[in-house]
Every structure is written in structure tokens, then in C-alpha cells.
């Protein structure tokens, strides 16, 4: 990646400074202590070549082995027939629009792009759809929903309407999906497409758009004004869509951050790919469930989506936001005897996440799971493997308690190297999981005793009891009763900004300091030592160690100052984030001028740019003068700290007109050639110092009625205008945001 116009190239070097702390029993302290620790150069980019994501928790060290076991089961799930190359793929672009005149249904325009190598295309509209228009297709006489491509139009299209209102049972109209006139939220309707090239099937590439404001994905679409809140994690992007009619009780950023935390810490199967969550407005529509995940029915790299009622809280066990997120990561299918597993694991992991995130205390967690073994809730005597015995919420109640007890026993039996998540990762993805396959997976990561316990719990009427806080500490905290976590905030400080990084995958400038706070808490009944490794690019750079007594808390701040450009994958207390450090150019253009800006009949004009170096060391940069789309002059300058020089370029003008000359990274100056009149010398143009607008930072207009909030560190560089006042940022600080944005965009493209 070369930003040569600014004299800055991001190269992989390997120097950083780590600042850590070893507090001495800071019981109940409210502040965070820190001391300096030097880190070896061995953590550079080359050392991390080919390294995958670090483990996201103590039990995740075995994730690769679990995935390999699942992959062995999936080996038979290959392509079902020959396919041609990607260049033969037929693309389908869907455009969804509201139909205010016909509430309850939406209109879909599907436009295909057919390569010349494709010989036939058949499409089927949904069975409940009504065909409105077709271009380049002929209708099948025997099957009205089927259309044949006429082979004459390379961009044929189909328009159809489809009803989207789906209600639950009962007298009250409660919706699973709805078109309410001014907004709609529904499972995304699509065509079934079959295309051939030389007798072989070709791939179908789908894109999803909306005619007006809205947010469309393969599984779920929202139509109407909204805002979006996006962040990235090592597992993929997380996007929260807040309709204009919604009022998220927990706050949109808090919900987004809770989902991002779940993405970083919960590894239960399908761990990659973007996730989209929509806040369903309760005041506009009465919804049947609290939340609903739409099965994308695709490979794990595709977008997963769900909706949750906007009045759902975060400070409750089993809270719906994370419950539905867990469903997006469940890569297994079930049989009748394992049907309970879907909701049981979703409920349990949502409750465990709430506890781990300190949203609830252990007493609340205990009381929530205890319901599964209580006769008062009517599920204790139900048999999980026999749905005919279930009450209305057996899989949610008893199922969650059983999953929790199996999880605890696996952790103890494996000395913390495995958990119930290891079981889920081992389940096959090419076929439904039967009860014996599930139990075998339990045994494979624990022992026969735990397998027998699991079988007894799922096949019989017995219900386990809830475990105590001390038993929880013994099983769930690998440090023997010590709970540790990062605060959900990464701080940034330095010459360019002070505050919080908006993303757990961000780009910073060389010299900026990145800080995270670690909280170490003893939840057991006796004193414990702890030792927490800090790794950078898979190399352990230091350990945070100490001793905490019962009920005591240590608070540690870990600081990194990045001295060289590089990518740094950081792992600490089981959580991961990525920092890309780039070197901003330090040569700035302070003014741009012309010896005359008005002349008659043409002549020579001398342009000048004053350049200053504000960095710590010498830097060589290229100063480029442009006019229109062309370059008129380039000069290379090498300056030491605080040195200033003037670079000149002479141009000859002959035709009447107005000419604007621009110095890259600096300002502009305008020269006018008149047919008659007198030249007026000396006008000077200087860069505009206006910084990025608040609108860019907080929400950029994105279509009628829509505002987009994307939490990244990408901001536009300043644009220079003639006649501005004050010194320009030119090649220096003003371009940092552009460099940061470009590097982060490239990084995200690699991860998707």
C-alpha cells in the first residue's frame, strides 16, 4: 500500500513499547495502576505471518482441533455436481420497495446479469408471489411461477409482489414479520435461479438493495428510515439497525457493544461472517416473540441476521440480544431427540455472557438457571430427548440448566481445556445431529463419567441441581476463583486525538498510545495468585501477575505505544483486538502562492509552495503541483525537524480563462488570463483548515430519511480552497485520517 504523494509508505517493522502493571493487592481500588515494560522486537509482522486468530478464552485453545473434527465429518459435503469458473457466475441484484397503497406486501425487482458463456437460465418466483413484470423472460405454460430466459437480453429482470405479514396463533394480531405501511421487517424473498454453461451449473451471485431508505441482507430486510451502528471484531462485523420508529431501551451503542463482546468471546460453531441485528419497534407493531433469528441457509461466510424487540433490556439473564446472536453461530442441525439443544444453548450462553460481562451477579444467574430444575416451572420432569413430554418452555428452562451442568463438568474433567462450546464445535455440519452423536461429542472432550451424566439428563425425567458460587469459580475460572476481563473500551491518546477507539479493529498513528483496562476479581473464598499472558502477534510479551484475596479486585492498565508501522494482533485475558499502526507524513504545506494571479494576453506565472517538516527525524517527500487532471511539476525535498523551504514551479499560459493549481496535500491558487485588462500580482491561496465535520463523525446522510453511523476511524482529509486563512495541514496531520481510513478499509476487506 503506497501513499507516495504524501511521502509515506506503510512497512512492516517491529518495535513497540508495552506498559503494564503488577499491582500489589489494590483492594477495591477505583483507579488503574501502570508501570513500563519493554517488549522484544520479535513481535513484528514477519513473526505473525500465517498466524490465525488467538484463542478467545481458556477453553478455545482446542478450537482448531474441534473444527478439524467437524471438518472430517463434513468432508462428504462437497459440491453436488460440476460447476464452471467464477467468471461464468450469474449475478442477481434485488431491489426491495414499500407499497404504501398495498399495506401487507412489498415489491421486489430482480435484475440479472448473464455472462455470454451461459446458455440457459430458469428462475422461479416465490410460491406466494404475484408476477408484475418481466423483461427478457418467457413464462412457463405448465408452471406459472417458472420463467425461462429468452437468451436475447443480457440483463433480464423480474418484478413481483409478495405478502410479508406473518402472525402468531391466537386472537391478538402479533407479528413475526410485517409491512406496516411506513416500515417493513420481513424474511427476504428471493428467486430460485438455475443457470447452465455448457451443461454445467454456474454459481449465482446475489446482491441486496432497497429502493428507498432501508437495510437488506440475504436473510432479513428492513425498509424505512433508520440509523446503523457498526463495529468489527475478529469474528466479523456486527451491525445494529435502529429504525426511526424504534427506541432501544438499552441504548443502541450499548447493544452494539454487547453483541461485539459476544462475538469476541463466544466460540460455539459458525464463528465467522457478518451479523446484522434489527431493533423491532414495539410501539409500531406488536410482535409475537421477543426476538427471531432468520436462518440464512448458506455457508458460514454469509451474513446472518435477526431482530429483537426494541424494549428488550441488557441487564437480564438470558437477554434476547445475545440469545439471538448465539443462534446465528449455531452451525448444527438437530433431530427430534436433539431439538432441545438449539434453545437450551442459546438461553444458557446468553445468561453466562450476562454474568461474565458483569451485567448480572451470580445470584441472579443462579436463580435464572434454577428454574429448569424447579417443579414450580413445570419442566423438571420433562424428558429433553422426547418433545412429546414438553411444556411450553422445557427446552429453554430445563435445557439451559442441563447445558450448564454439562459445561461445568466438561471444564473440570478437561482441566479447563474444553467446555460445552467444544461439543458444539464438534457437531457435524453436513447432517442432523442425533442424540448418540451429541453424547459422543461430550465424551470426546471430557470422559465417560461426564458422558453418562449427560445421557442421564437428556434421556430421563431427572433434573440436575444448580451449582454454587464456589463451584462456579472452580470450574469457570482457570486461575482458581479469579475472574478477569477487559473493560469494553480501548483508549487512544497522542498528538492527534484523545478519547476512545470506536472499534476493536482500528488504525492508529505511530506514536499514539493505546490503552486497555484489565479487571482482576477474586470471586472465591480464598486468596489466589494470578498470571495473565499478554500476546502480540502470537508472541507472549509479558504477564500480568499478582495475588488477590477473597472479594478483592486488582485493576491494571496496559498501554502500547507503537513506534513503527505494522499490524499488531493483541490477545489479553482471552479477548482479542487488532491495531494497525501507520506512519503519518510530517512534511506539511503551509502556503501556496503565485507571483501573479491576473494577467493579460498570457505569459509566465511562477507558482510556489512553502513546506515545513514537523516530525522528529528527517523526511523525504514529493511536492506535486497539479492543474486539472494533470501534473505540471514535481519536486523532491528532504527536510529536518522544523526546517522550512519554498518549492517553485513555472507555468506558461496563453489562452484566456481561469486556471486552478493545486499542491497535493496542500492548498490551491487560481490564475486568470484576461483578453484585456491589467494583471494584479501577489494573490496567495492557502489551505482550508476546516476539520472533519460533526456530521461525518456522528452520522452521514445515506439516502432519504436514512442516517448511517459506522464506528470506524475513517474520516475524510481536509479539502483546500482558494482564499482560506491559516496554515494548512497539507501532508501532515490532515492526511492521517485518510491514511487511517484507507488502511482500515483494506484490512477489513481482507477479513471479510
Amino acid at each position: 500500500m503506497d501513499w507516495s504523494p504524501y511521502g509515506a509508505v506503510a512497512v512492516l517493522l517491529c518495535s513497540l513499547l508495552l506498559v503494564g502493571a503488577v499491582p500489589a493487592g489494590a483492594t477495591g481500588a477505583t483507579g488503574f495502576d501502570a508501570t513500563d515494560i519493554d517488549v522484544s522486537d520479535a513481535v513484528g509482522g514477519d513473526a505473525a505471518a500465517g498466524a490465525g486468530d488467538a484463542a478467545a478464552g481458556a477453553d478455545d485453545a482446542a478450537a482448531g482441533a474441534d473444527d478439524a473434527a467437524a471438518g472430517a465429518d463434513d468432508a462428504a459435503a462437497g459440491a453436488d455436481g460440476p460447476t464452471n469458473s467464477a467468471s461464468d457466475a450469474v449475478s442477481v441484484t434485488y431491489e426491495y420497495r414499500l407499497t404504501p397503497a398495498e399495506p401487507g406486501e412489498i415489491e421486489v425487482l430482480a435484475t440479472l446479469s448473464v455472462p455470454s458463456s451461459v446458455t440457459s437460465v430458469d428462475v422461479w418466483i416465490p410460491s406466494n408471489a404475484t408476477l408484475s413484470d418481466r423483461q427478457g423472460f418467457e413464462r412457463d405454460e405448465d408452471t406459472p411461477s417458472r420463467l425461462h430466459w429468452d437468451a436475447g437480453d443480457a440483463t433480464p429482470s423480474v418484478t413481483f409482489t409478495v405478502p410479508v405479514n406473518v402472525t402468531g396463533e391466537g386472537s391478538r394480531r402479533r407479528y413475526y414479520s410485517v409491512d406496516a405501511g411506513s416500515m417493513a421487517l420481513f424474511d427476504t424473498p428471493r428467486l430460485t435461479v438455475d443457470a447452465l454453461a455448457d451443461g454445467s451449473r454456474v454459481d449465482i451471485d446475489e446482491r441486496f438493495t432497497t429502493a428507498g431508505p432501508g437495510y437488506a441482507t440475504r436473510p432479513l430486510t428492513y425498509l424505512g428510515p433508520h440509523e446503523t451502528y457498526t463495529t468489527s471484531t475478529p469474528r466479523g462485523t456486527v451491525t445494529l439497525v435502529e429504525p426511526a420508529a424504534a427506541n432501544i431501551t438499552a441504548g443502541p451503542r450499548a447493544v452494539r457493544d454487547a453483541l461485539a463482546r459476544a462475538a469476541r468471546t463466544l466460540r460455539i460453531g459458525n464463528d465467522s461472517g457478518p451479523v446484522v441485528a434489527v431493533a423491532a419497534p414495539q410501539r409500531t407493531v406488536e410482535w409475537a416473540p421477543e426476538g427471531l433469528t432468520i436462518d440464512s441457509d448458506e455457508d458460514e461466510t454469509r451474513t446472518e441476521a435477526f431482530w429483537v424487540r426494541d424494549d428488550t433490556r441488557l441487564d437480564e439473564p438470558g437477554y434476547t440480544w445475545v440469545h439471538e446472536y448465539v443462534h446465528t453461530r449455531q452451525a448444527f442441525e438437530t433431530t427430534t431427540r436433539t431439538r432441545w439443544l438449539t434453545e437450551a444453548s442459546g438461553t444458557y450462553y446468553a445468561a453466562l455472557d450476562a454474568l461474565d460481562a458483569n451485567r448480572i451477579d451470580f445470584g441472579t444467574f443462579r436463580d435464572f438457571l434454577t428454574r429448569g430444575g424447579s417443579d414450580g416451572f413445570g419442566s423438571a420432569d420433562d424428558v429433553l430427548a422426547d418433545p412429546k413430554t414438553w411444556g411450553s418452555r422445557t427446552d429453554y428452562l430445563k435445557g439451559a440448566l442441563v447445558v450448564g451442568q454439562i459445561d461445568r463438568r466438561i471444564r473440570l474433567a478437561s482441566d479447563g481445556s474444553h467446555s460445552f462450546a467444544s461439543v458444539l464445535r464438534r457437531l457435524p455440519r453436513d447432517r442432523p445431529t442425533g442424540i448418540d452423536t451429541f453424547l459422543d461429542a461430550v465424551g470426546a472432550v471430557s470422559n465417560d463419567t461426564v458422558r453418562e451424566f449427560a445421557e442421564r439428563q437428556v434421556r430421563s425425567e431427572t433434573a440436575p441441581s444448580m451449582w454454587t458460587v464456589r463451584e462456579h469459580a472452580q470450574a469457570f475460572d482457570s486461575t482458581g476463583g479469579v475472574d478477569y476481563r477487559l473493560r469494553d473500551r480501548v483508549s487512544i491518546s497522542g498528538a492527534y486525538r484523545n478519547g476512545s477507539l470506536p472499534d476493536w479493529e482500528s488504525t492508529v498513528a505511530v506514536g499514539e498510545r493505546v490503552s486497555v483496562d484489565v479487571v482482576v476479581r477474586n470471586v472465591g473464598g480464598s486468596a489466589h495468585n494470578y498470571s495473565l499472558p499478554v500476546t502480540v502477534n502470537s508472541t507472549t510479551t509479558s504477564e500480568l501477575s499478582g495475588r488477590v484475596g477473597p472479594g478483592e479486585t486488582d485493576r491494571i492498565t496496559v498501554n502500547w505505544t507503537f513506534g513503527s508501522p505494522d499490524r499488531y494482533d493483541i490477545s489479553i485475558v482471552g479477548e482479542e483486538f487488532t491495531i494497525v499502526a501507520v506512519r503519518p507524513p510530517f512534511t506539511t504545506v503551509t502556503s501556496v502562492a503565485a507571483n501573479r494571479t491576473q494577467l493579460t494576453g498570457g505569459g509566465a506565472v511562477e507558482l510556489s509552495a512553502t513546506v515545513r517538516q514537523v516530525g522528529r527525524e528527517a523526511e523525504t517527500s514529493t511536492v506535486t503541483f497539479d492543474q486539472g487532471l494533470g501534473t505540471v511539476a514535481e519536486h523532491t525535498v528532504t527536510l529536518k525537524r522544523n526546517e522550512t523551504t519554498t518549492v517553485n514551479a513555472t507555468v506558461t499560459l496563453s489562452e484566456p480563462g481561469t486556471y486552478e493549481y493545486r499542491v497535493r496535500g496542500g492548498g490551491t491558487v487560481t490564475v486568470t488570463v484576461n483578453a484585456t485588462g491589467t494583471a494584479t500580482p501577489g494573490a496567495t491561496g492557502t489551505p482550508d483548515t476546516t476539520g472533519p465535520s460533526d456530521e461525518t463523525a456522528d452520522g452521514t446522510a445515506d439516502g432519504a430519511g436514512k442516517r448511517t453511523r459506522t464506528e470506524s476511524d475513517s474520516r475524510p482529509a481536509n479539502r483546500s480552497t482558494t482564499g482560506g486563512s491559516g496554515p494548512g495541514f497539507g501532508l501532515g496531520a490532515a492526511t492521517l485520517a485518510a491514511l487511517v481510513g484507507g488502511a482500515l478499509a483494506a484490512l477489513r476487506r481482507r477479513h471479510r
Side-chain angles (χ1 to χ4, degrees), residues 18-325:
L18 169 66
V19 183
V22 184
T27 306
T30 57
F32 289 78
D33 298 325
T35 58
D36 290 349
I37 301 175
D38 289 328
V39 179
S40 166
D41 285 351
V43 301
D46 291 341
D53 286 333
D59 110 279
D60 290 335
D66 296 332
D67 291 339
D73 292 331
D74 294 340
D80 55 352
T83 59
N84 280 13
S85 66
S87 62
D88 294 325
V90 172
S91 68
V92 185
T93 300
Y94 296 96
E95 183 182 79
Y96 301 90
R97 71 173 66 237
L98 292 168
T99 57
E102 298 290 341
E105 68 179 31
I106 55 96
E107 183 179 79
V108 184
L109 169 62
T111 303
L112 286 70
S113 179
V114 184
S116 59
S117 58
V118 172
T119 54
S120 72
V121 179
D122 285 356
V123 302
W124 289 258
I125 65 173
S127 59
N128 62 339
T130 301
L131 183 66
S132 304
D133 188 28
R134 52 187 170 87
Q135 299 292 329
F137 282 102
E138 299 174 353
R139 199 157 192 172
D140 188 287
E141 295 181 358
D142 299 324
T143 308
S145 62
R146 181 176 183 177
L147 302 169
H148 303 286
W149 177 47
D150 64 12
D153 188 346
T155 56
S157 63
V158 176
T159 304
F160 58 92
T161 58
V162 60
V164 296
N165 287 359
V166 178
T167 58
E169 298 179 357
S171 57
R172 298 176 63 179
R173 293 179 64 84
R174 296 181 175 179
Y175 290 89
Y176 288 88
S177 67
V178 69
D179 167 34
S182 60
M183 58 79 66
L185 181 60
F186 51 89
D187 298 11
T188 304
R190 302 159 39 244
L191 298 174
T192 299
V193 182
D194 187 24
L196 299 176
D198 296 329
S200 297
R201 280 196 174 85
V202 301
D203 292 335
I204 308 301
D205 180 21
E206 296 180 309
R207 298 176 177 87
F208 303 89
T209 65
T210 62
Y215 200 100
T217 69
R218 187 185 189 281
L220 182 67
T221 294
Y222 166 77
L223 297 180
H226 67 286
E227 292 185 358
T228 59
Y229 301 82
T230 299
T231 189
S232 66
T233 76
R235 312 290 180 234
T237 58
V238 174
T239 299
L240 173 66
V241 179
E242 182 183 29
N247 183 18
I248 300 178
T249 299
R253 286 186 174 82
V255 169
R256 179 205 59 194
D257 292 345
L259 295 176
R261 183 187 187 281
R264 295 192 306 272
T265 60
L266 297 180
R267 298 197 61 190
I268 58 176
N270 181 8
D271 287 330
S272 62
V275 173
V276 174
V278 181
Q282 180 71 1
R283 63 183 178 183
T284 303
V285 177
E286 188 171 5
W287 303 96
E290 287 190 6
L292 186 66
T293 298
I294 312 301
D295 186 2
S296 69
D297 193 30
E298 279 289 344
D299 64 79
E300 61 188 37
T301 62
R302 296 294 182 94
T303 299
E304 302 281 353
F306 62 87
W307 61 259
V308 172
R309 281 182 5 196
D310 61 352
D311 60 351
T312 302
R313 300 170 60 91
L314 288 176
D315 56 350
E316 297 175 338
Y319 56 106
T320 309
W321 290 107
V322 170
H323 180 107
E324 298 302 329
Y325 173 82

Side-chain angles (χ1 to χ4, degrees), residues 284-455:
T284 303
V285 177
E286 188 171 5
W287 303 96
E290 287 190 6
L292 186 66
T293 298
I294 312 301
D295 186 2
S296 69
D297 193 30
E298 279 289 344
D299 64 79
E300 61 188 37
T301 62
R302 296 294 182 94
T303 299
E304 302 281 353
F306 62 87
W307 61 259
V308 172
R309 281 182 5 196
D310 61 352
D311 60 351
T312 302
R313 300 170 60 91
L314 288 176
D315 56 350
E316 297 175 338
Y319 56 106
T320 309
W321 290 107
V322 170
H323 180 107
E324 298 302 329
Y325 173 82
V326 171
H327 286 328
T328 70
R329 292 323 191 199
Q330 293 170 330
F332 56 85
E333 296 183 28
T334 64
T335 65
T336 300
R337 295 190 181 279
T338 54
R339 184 186 306 165
W340 60 276
L341 191 56
T342 302
E343 297 300 342
S345 58
T347 303
Y348 168 70
Y349 277 110
L352 184 63
D353 181 79
L355 176 65
D356 288 344
N358 286 327
R359 299 186 189 279
I360 61 173
D361 57 24
F362 183 82
T364 303
F365 175 74
R366 177 196 60 216
D367 293 345
F368 178 75
L369 291 185
T370 297
R371 301 179 308 166
S374 171
D375 293 334
F377 288 90
S379 67
D381 297 334
D382 298 343
V383 179
L384 291 177
D386 186 4
K388 295 191 299 295
T389 68
W390 292 2
S392 61
R393 296 181 64 81
T394 298
D395 47 348
Y396 291 84
L397 300 176
K398 183 176 182 178
L401 178 59
V402 167
V403 167
Q405 275 289 15
I406 296 174
D407 187 24
R408 187 177 73 87
R409 282 168 164 77
I410 290 173
R411 291 170 186 260
L412 292 172
S414 66
D415 198 23
S417 61
H418 288 290
S419 70
F420 194 81
S422 305
V423 175
L424 298 181
R425 288 195 297 267
R426 294 180 70 90
L427 299 181
R429 304 184 186 186
D430 63 325
R431 63 185 187 277
T433 295
I435 190 68
D436 290 332
T437 300
F438 164 73
L439 294 172
D440 288 344
V442 172
V445 299
S446 56
N447 55 37
D448 290 343
T449 300
V450 178
R451 187 192 189 283
E452 291 167 2
F453 171 83
E455 183 169 18

